[in-house]
Amino acid sequence: MKDTLEVVHRLNAHPDSRCWYVAWSPKGSLLASCGGDRAVRIWGKEGDSWECKCVLSDGHQRTVRKVAWSPCGNYLASASFDATTCIWKKKNDDFECLTVLEGHENEVKCVAWAPSGNLLATCSRDKSVWIWEVDEEDEYECVSVVNSHTQDVKHVVWHPTQELLASASYDNKVCIYKEEDDDWECRATLEGHTSTVWSLSFDPEGHRLASCSDDRTVKIWKECAPGDGDSSTDAWKCVCTLSGFHSRTIYDVAWDRLTGALVTACGDDGIRVFKEDTTADPEQPVFNLSAHVPKAHSQDVNCVAWHPQEAGLLATCSDNGEIAIWKYDSES
């Protein structure tokens, strides 16, 4: 392994609580974090250091599990164990709570914006995925509730260019959704993991999907032509499984849109970067471990997020309440 992954900054982001998730704004000028302290924090760079610009502490009554920026960067959504999702609107250097989305029966585990900015997806421990529509007056309406999972839904992610949604669940499955006749329906169910699927990430083009699991593997799925003339479902197949690299649950996976590198966050306190072998058959891709930091935070690593504009810049967060900023340098 000639590639390097070096820590650049460490931030004591959520003292005395877990830091669950970090998300870069679309231009990468801000970093949002959330945690067990019920707060969302917004970070910005001042000179060579990162400073907390504001703390959003009045939106939720319980742990904030995920945060997501709208594609325009003017809105931030936060999903909480209090069964609500808050929509925050950016006002100069501050944020105000615009609206609170209610309806899930219990913990909201994830929130994600569609690439158009007109749709929002949330998922919950209540086993459902909700699709929300946003109008020009910033009004949010739930337009579809999909119950394709049989257990807690951990994560939702949108395709980078299409209105195609994927979800991951405690039921070991991944579901793919599309809108059909003004309603959303499950078009494919990806089965192969033997334990909880924690997170998902599409590749830069959206042709493939990476999933990570409690079974300590990462699977790469590729969309393929459906067989037997069946147009009612879409076909995805597992074309690669990364196993033997992780010693505990893999909590997050992220595909870098700039370099194509794949990074994982693991319960063994490790961060691992994988590079695809460009000489391999695209139908049978090969990913090699190119960089590994075995003791990244001193506790579980919960999230990994590539910077959207600066190649190789990576943010991670941990159960110890810390955020770390890393620089990944590749030999090729």
Side-chain angles (χ1 to χ4, degrees):
M1 289 188 293
K2 293 180 181 178
D3 298 350
T4 59
L5 187 62
E6 303 285 348
V7 68
V8 182
H9 298 286
R10 287 192 186 272
L11 312 174
N12 187 16
H14 295 261
D16 304 317
S17 74
R18 290 177 177 173
C19 185
W20 277 114
Y21 205 72
V22 286
W24 295 101
S25 62
K27 292 181 179 177
S29 57
L30 297 173
L31 182 69
S33 66
C34 61
D37 56 4
R38 308 191 295 272
V40 175
R41 295 174 192 267
I42 309 296
W43 305 85
K45 203 169 184 184
E46 295 287 341
D48 291 332
S49 63
W50 286 83
E51 305 290 340
C52 184
K53 297 287 190 180
C54 60
V55 181
L56 315 180
S57 57
D58 56 353
H60 293 291
Q61 306 303 312
R62 293 183 62 194
T63 290
V64 185
R65 185 64 179 87
K66 295 273 175 73
V67 282
W69 294 88
S70 63
C72 66
N74 293 329
Y75 302 89
L76 184 73
S78 56
S80 170
F81 285 3
D82 66 11
T84 71
T85 302
C86 278
I87 308 296
W88 307 85
K89 187 170 185 177
K90 192 172 186 292
K91 288 282 185 80
N92 299 317
D93 290 334
D94 206 357
F95 290 76
E96 67 173 12
C97 184
L98 191 67
T99 188
V100 179
L101 309 183
E102 298 177 321
H104 281 292
E105 292 176 16
N106 41 40
E107 290 109 314
V108 184
K109 293 297 180 73
C110 189
V111 58
W113 244 289
S116 65
N118 299 326
L119 294 170
L120 194 73
T122 57
C123 65
S124 168
R125 188 180 168 191
D126 66 14
K127 308 173 188 175
S128 68
V129 173
W130 291 40
I131 314 291
W132 307 79
E133 204 166 65
V134 192
D135 67 18
E136 292 173 357
E137 279 76 45
D138 288 338
E139 295 289 331
Y140 290 74
E141 178 191 2
C142 178
V143 293
S144 191
V145 176
V146 195
N147 292 288
S148 298
H149 288 290
T150 58
Q151 297 289 339
D152 181 359
V153 189
K154 300 290 189 185
H155 195 82
V156 282
V157 64
W158 291 92
H159 187 282
T161 57
Q162 302 172 26
E163 292 192 339
L164 178 81
L165 181 70
S167 64
S169 171
Y170 190 72
D171 66 10
N172 310 350
K173 296 172 185 174
V174 176
C175 288
I176 308 285
Y177 311 87
K178 277 184 187 171
E179 188 179 18
E180 296 289 336
D181 302 323
D182 293 329
D183 201 10
W184 286 78
E185 62 180 44
C186 180
R187 297 281 298 181
T189 302
L190 316 187
E191 300 184 61
H193 284 294
T194 57
S195 192
T196 302
V197 186
W198 278 97
S199 188
L200 304 164
S201 181
F202 280 99
D203 75 359
E205 293 79 29
H207 299 320
R208 298 177 298 179
L209 179 70
S211 59
C212 66
S213 170
D214 182 53
D215 67 13
R216 306 176 188 181
T217 71
V218 174
K219 289 186 179 291
I220 310 296
W221 308 84
K222 187 172 185 290
E223 191 171 15
C224 52
D228 303 322
D230 181 8
S231 61
S232 64
T233 58
D234 297 337
W236 290 71
K237 65 178 181 179
C238 179
V239 292
C240 178
T241 299
L242 303 180
S243 61
F245 297 102
H246 304 81
S247 60
R248 292 187 66 186
T249 301
I250 310 167
Y251 288 117
D252 199 18
V253 60
W255 221 316
D256 189 1
R257 307 227 182 285
L258 301 175
T259 66
L262 199 66
V263 65
T264 58
C266 188
D268 64 9
D269 192 23
I271 301 168
R272 294 166 178 85
V273 180
F274 297 87
K275 267 196 324 198
E276 187 169 359
D277 183 349
T278 55
T279 64
D281 179 356
E283 295 302 312
Q284 294 180 307
V286 174
F287 289 81
N288 298 311
L289 182 65
S290 70
H292 177 207
V293 179
K295 294 181 179 179
H297 283 281
S298 79
Q299 291 191 41
D300 292 8
V301 186
N302 293 320
C303 173
V304 281
W306 292 107
H307 192 282
Q309 304 281 348
E310 190 175 332
L313 200 65
L314 178 73
T316 63
C317 66
S318 168
D319 274 6
N320 66 1
E322 181 185 71
I323 294 172
I325 311 289
W326 307 82
K327 184 67 175 138
Y328 169 64
D329 281 314
S330 176
E331 286 289 301
S332 58

